[in-house]
Amino acid sequence: MSSSSKLRLITFLGSTRKKRANDAVAKFVQSRVSVNGSFENIATLDPRDTENGFFTRLMDKAYFHYKISEGESPPTELENTAKVLREADCFLIITPEYNHSIAPGLSNIMSYFGSSFYGFKPSGVATYSAGNWGGTRAGVALRPFLSELGTVYCIFALALTSETHTISRAGLMPMQ
């Protein structure tokens, strides 16, 4: 945990689409998480925008496969992201479901880094969809995925249904 009393939170976004609701949903969820003052969002890792879209490309080699002890250097984009991940105390994943499962951009950005980055750190999930299920199938698929990465998965999850009708682009619910 950080020297301050706040937990250092990293938010992962799942959608890589041009027209996406992920940004508005992230603003809403992050505003709710910050209410009690226990978390400090130190970074948002977005597969579409982080390191100029590096994580939207097919994975060539995971960070942990580089033989640093033998002089092999990971790309700068991976080193920069690894540095951010090392600083985290916990993770928040905000994602839609894609074909009843995990968004490919999300699994790609997270899979570059092994359990030494995620191990024993809590993770929470917020899913959304325009349908009646609120992305819950992605949330169910994320449980074993996040567990294999070593996170401590929080069994409580947020599922937002019909999100395009309930959250404005500013991340506000109509009743706020």
Side-chain angles (χ1 to χ4, degrees), residues 2-4 6 9-10 22 35 43 45 61-62 68-69 78 80 85 94-95 97 104 129 138 143 151 156 158 170:
S2 64
S3 59
S4 74
K6 292 184 178 187
L9 173 72
I10 289 182
N22 217 158
V35 166
L45 297 178
K61 194 175 189 180
I68 297 170
S69 63
L78 289 182
N80 294 343
L85 285 170
I94 301 172
T95 185
E97 65 181 37
S129 73
R143 284 181 181 188
T151 72
F156 300 102
L158 173 65

Side-chain angles (χ1 to χ4, degrees), residues 99-162:
N99 298 320
H100 309 280
S101 192
I102 302 168
L106 175 64
S107 65
N108 193 45
I109 191 170
M110 293 188 81
S111 294
Y112 268 97
F113 305 95
S115 62
S116 63
F117 289 90
Y118 303 107
F120 306 105
K121 296 177 183 180
S123 63
V125 173
T127 59
Y128 63 91
S129 73
N132 294 332
W133 292 97
T136 55
R137 293 171 286 207
V140 168
L142 279 166
R143 284 181 181 188
F145 177 76
L146 293 171
S147 294
E148 283 299 317
L149 287 175
T151 72
V152 179
Y153 184 87
C154 176
I155 62 168
F156 300 102
L158 173 65
L160 298 169
T161 61
S162 305

